């Protein structure tokens, strides 16, 4: 009988814990769904296993955890670029959704996103979009781990007639996936400007009762904050505090327009911040002061946002951008260093999910969510600093192998759980319909 299911033999192992450690000539063994051993290559070669996989030229590291995405919006990639946030939403995205949003749109868009996410090394997705039951089915089929936050918004959509209907449908979906090993369902109120105080209060009570995650766009722009003060006399984060919506279960997405008092409020309540630098840059929404947040002990994870406002769903590209703009913003080349952003893309995401004991690092007993990144290219040589190369030399397409819960998901660059040609063919079929809708909005 085999001692292990699989033994992986990379050139380097970056376990994330302990911080700064790079193991050379070491292997990682998998058994059932978990990491069973980390051992010297000389010892691992003799291990009895169903299979040994040579990962020459690769770094083995934890799978990447994308803390904010709108997967199905991948079909909106390039649809309405170079616009400020509210113009982008009100003039193009929301009107177009009213015309094309359907289970078929969400299925095809989710599959397109999942293919890109997997090829980029994401093994856990946190998503927030309409028809989450469809995205849940597609994530489950592809083997992806996911927290799907059902959307709650004060407008009629193809998915639900109003915010109360959103909550009712979402709670039914949560019941359906109550015992699933990879899929979890949480609350996704859009924002303090997109949801009434009464509904936010209802979400707060239900989330506390169910011990469920809450995922919300918050203080994305200065205009959002000013509008909130004019509307209700409170900054968005203070409104959440008043309603009991700030807790260690809360993911505050963006948090660009913040001051010292906001930082103190986050720290007091143990809420998490989700940094989406590329989307924020593209929409000119602002830059979250991440190093300052970290210095105050606030957990900051990384998200790509959707491809409609980012164009890429690459977590390695997101980590690189976060590091570079963080250095400029803080005037310090040591700010958001390579190890910091690698942790933000892995362990910090696990902490935000309340799963740091299961995900985010290569440790014995944790789930075997792993990726192998090819570092043999000329743009990553010599290997004098593995972490630096992962962050600053990658372009986001070097991930070649991945496992989720010990299951092989990508083998030498080829997806194992999705028909890539079918996914891309279905995505292309939406081009003409979306072009027609855009033309109607512009005339």
């Amino acid at each position: 009988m085999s001692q292990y299911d699989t033994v992986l033999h990379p050139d380097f192992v970056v376990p994330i814990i302990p911080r700064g450690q790079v193991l050379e000539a070491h292997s990682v063994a998998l058994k059932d769904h978990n990491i069973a051993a980390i051992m010297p290559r000389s010892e691992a070669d003799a291990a009895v296993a169903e299979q040994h996989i040579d990962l020459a030229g690769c770094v083995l590291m934890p799978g990447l955890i994308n803390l904010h995405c709108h997967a199905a919006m991948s079909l909106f990639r390039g649809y309405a670029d170079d616009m400020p946030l509210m113009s982008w939403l009100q003039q193009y995205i929301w009107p177009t959704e009213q015309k094309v949003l359907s289970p078929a749109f969400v299925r095809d868009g989710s599959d397109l996103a999942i293919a890109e996410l997997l090829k980029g090394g994401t093994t856990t997705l946190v998503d927030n979009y309409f028809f989450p039951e469809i995205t849940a089915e597609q994530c489950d089929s592809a083997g992806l781990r996911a927290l799907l936050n059902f959307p709650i918004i004060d407008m009629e959509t193809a998915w639900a007639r109003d915010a109360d209907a959103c909550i009712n449908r979402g709670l039914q979906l949560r019941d359906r996936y109550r015992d699933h090993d990879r899929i979890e369902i949480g609350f996704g109120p859009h924002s303090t400007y997109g949801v009434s105080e009464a509904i936010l209060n209802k979400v707060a009570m239900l989330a506390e009762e169910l011990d469920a995650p809450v995922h919300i766009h918050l203080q994305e722009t200065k205009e959002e904050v000013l509008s909130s003060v004019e509307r209700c006399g409170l900054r968005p984060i203070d409104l959440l505090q008043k309603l009991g919506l700030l807790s260690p279960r809360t993911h505050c997405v963006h948090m660009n327009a913040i001051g010292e008092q906001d930082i103190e409020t986050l720290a007091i309540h143990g809420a998490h911040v989700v940094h989406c630098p590329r989307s924020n840059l593209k929409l000119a929404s602002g830059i979250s002061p991440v190093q300052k947040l970290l210095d105050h002990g606030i957990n900051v994870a990384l998200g790509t946002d959707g491809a409609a406002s980012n164009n890429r769903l690459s977590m390695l590209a997101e980590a690189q951008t976060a590091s570079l703009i963080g250095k400029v913003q803080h005037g310090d080349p040591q700010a958001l260093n390579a190890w910091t952003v690698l942790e933000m893309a892995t362990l910090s995401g696990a902490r935000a999910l309340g799963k740091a004991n299961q995900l985010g690092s290569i440790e014995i007993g944790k789930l075997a969510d792993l990726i192998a990144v090819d570092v043999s290219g000329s743009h990553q040589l010599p290997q004098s600093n593995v972490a630096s190369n992962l962050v600053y030399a990658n372009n986001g397409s070097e991930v070649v192998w991945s496992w989720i819960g010990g299951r092989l998901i990508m083998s030498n660059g080829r997806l194992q759980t999705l028909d890539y040609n079918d996914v891309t063919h279905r995505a292309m079929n939406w081009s003409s319909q979306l072009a027609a809708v855009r033309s109607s909005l512009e005339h």
Side-chain angles (χ1 to χ4, degrees):
M1 182 176 178
S2 298
Q3 184 179 6
Y4 304 112
D5 297 332
T6 305
V7 181
L8 308 175
H9 304 288
D11 283 1
F12 306 96
V13 177
V14 173
I16 300 298
I17 294 179
R19 194 176 210 238
Q21 184 178 79
V22 177
L23 300 174
E24 295 187 52
H26 275 66
S27 301
V28 176
L30 316 182
K31 180 68 174 178
D32 297 326
H33 304 293
N34 301 320
I35 298 164
I38 304 166
M39 56 190 133
R41 178 69 183 262
S42 56
E43 179 183 337
D45 284 337
V48 178
E50 292 184 14
Q51 60 177 339
H52 287 252
I53 299 179
D54 183 12
L55 300 174
C58 290
V59 173
L60 188 70
M61 64 178 291
L64 305 174
I65 300 176
N66 187 340
L67 246 288
H68 183 64
C69 191
H70 308 288
M73 293 183 79
S74 290
L75 293 178
F76 288 141
R77 191 191 322 266
Y79 182 74
D81 284 352
D82 305 323
M83 302 182 69
L85 174 63
M86 295 314 298
S87 299
W88 176 75
L89 284 173
Q90 294 171 352
Q91 296 176 25
Y92 285 94
I93 297 302
W94 288 344
T96 303
E97 285 175 336
Q98 291 177 358
K99 295 177 181 294
V100 303
L101 191 60
S102 67
F105 180 93
V106 172
R107 180 200 64 209
D108 293 349
S110 293
D111 279 349
L112 181 65
I114 291 167
E116 183 181 358
L117 290 162
L118 291 174
K119 288 177 76 67
T122 292
T123 55
T124 298
L125 168 67
V126 178
D127 201 65
N128 184 1
Y129 201 61
F130 304 104
F131 294 100
E133 66 275 15
I134 303 298
T135 303
E137 291 171 2
Q138 303 314 107
C139 287
D140 190 17
S141 175
L144 190 62
R145 196 178 305 282
L147 165 62
L148 304 173
N149 301 290
F150 56 85
I152 304 169
I153 192 166
D154 284 333
M155 66 169 64
E156 183 173 2
T157 69
W159 186 62
R161 68 180 179 276
D162 56 24
D164 280 314
C166 289
I167 292 173
N168 292 336
R169 292 198 66 171
L171 290 175
Q172 292 173 13
L173 184 63
R174 181 175 167 83
D175 285 342
R176 189 187 313 170
Y177 284 91
R178 184 189 306 275
D179 299 317
H180 199 283
D181 63 336
R182 282 182 293 102
I183 309 295
E184 183 181 1
I185 308 299
F187 290 84
H190 180 273
S191 58
T192 60
Y193 62 83
V195 184
S196 70
E197 284 191 39
I199 290 295
L200 289 172
N201 188 59
K202 184 175 183 178
V203 170
M205 291 188 295
L206 287 169
E208 183 175 2
E209 177 185 338
L210 299 171
D211 192 25
V214 176
H215 194 84
I216 184 168
H217 302 92
L218 200 68
Q219 298 190 192
E220 190 169 357
T221 64
K222 292 178 181 178
E223 291 76 15
E224 177 191 336
V225 176
L226 292 172
S227 176
S228 177
V229 172
E230 292 174 358
R231 186 175 64 251
C232 67
L234 294 170
R235 295 166 69 82
I237 192 170
D238 294 328
L239 177 60
L240 294 195
Q241 181 182 36
K242 170 189 169 185
L243 297 174
L245 255 177
L246 278 185
S247 79
R249 297 186 304 270
T250 310
H251 305 154
C252 303
V253 183
H254 299 303
M255 293 303 290
N256 300 320
I258 62 177
E260 295 293 337
Q261 185 176 342
D262 300 326
I263 293 173
E264 291 177 13
T265 301
L266 286 166
I268 289 170
H269 292 278
H272 309 272
V273 169
V274 184
H275 185 37
C276 306
R278 288 169 60 91
S279 174
N280 292 335
L281 289 171
K282 184 162 175 272
L283 292 168
S285 297
I287 302 174
S288 184
V290 173
Q291 188 62 58
K292 184 179 289 189
L293 293 170
L294 295 174
D295 292 343
H296 282 76
I298 295 164
N299 184 54
V300 183
L302 277 178
T304 59
D305 212 337
S309 61
N310 184 333
N311 299 68
R312 287 288 303 273
L313 301 180
S314 167
M315 283 291 288
L316 287 174
E318 212 69 35
Q320 181 184 105
T321 302
S323 179
L324 296 179
I325 67 171
K327 296 176 189 304
V328 172
Q329 183 186 37
H330 294 280
D332 181 2
Q334 296 181 358
L336 291 177
N337 63 39
W339 285 107
T340 296
V341 294
L342 286 175
E343 185 173 303
M344 287 169 62
T346 53
L347 189 59
S348 297
R351 290 184 184 124
L353 295 172
K355 297 182 183 297
N357 63 333
Q358 298 177 285
L359 302 170
S361 62
I362 300 179
E363 298 180 83
I364 294 172
K366 283 195 171 184
L367 289 166
D369 287 15
L370 305 168
I371 61 173
V373 184
D374 183 358
V375 294
S376 65
S378 59
H379 62 294
Q380 299 196 83
L381 299 177
Q383 284 295 344
S384 55
N385 188 326
V386 171
S388 176
N389 281 349
L390 284 171
V391 173
Y392 303 125
N394 266 297
N395 63 27
S397 62
E398 290 86 353
V399 180
V400 286
W401 295 78
S402 67
W403 297 260
I404 299 177
R407 179 187 181 187
L408 182 64
I409 299 295
M410 185 163 64
S411 172
N412 202 25
R414 295 182 62 86
L415 295 173
Q416 303 297 293
T417 59
L418 280 172
D419 183 336
Y420 186 75
N421 289 332
D422 174 63
V423 168
T424 54
H425 177 73
R426 283 187 280 123
M428 283 299 298
N429 286 341
W430 286 94
S431 298
S432 57
Q433 183 175 347
L434 287 167
V437 172
R438 175 166 180 146
S439 178
S440 71
L441 293 174
E442 293 177 338
H443 293 91

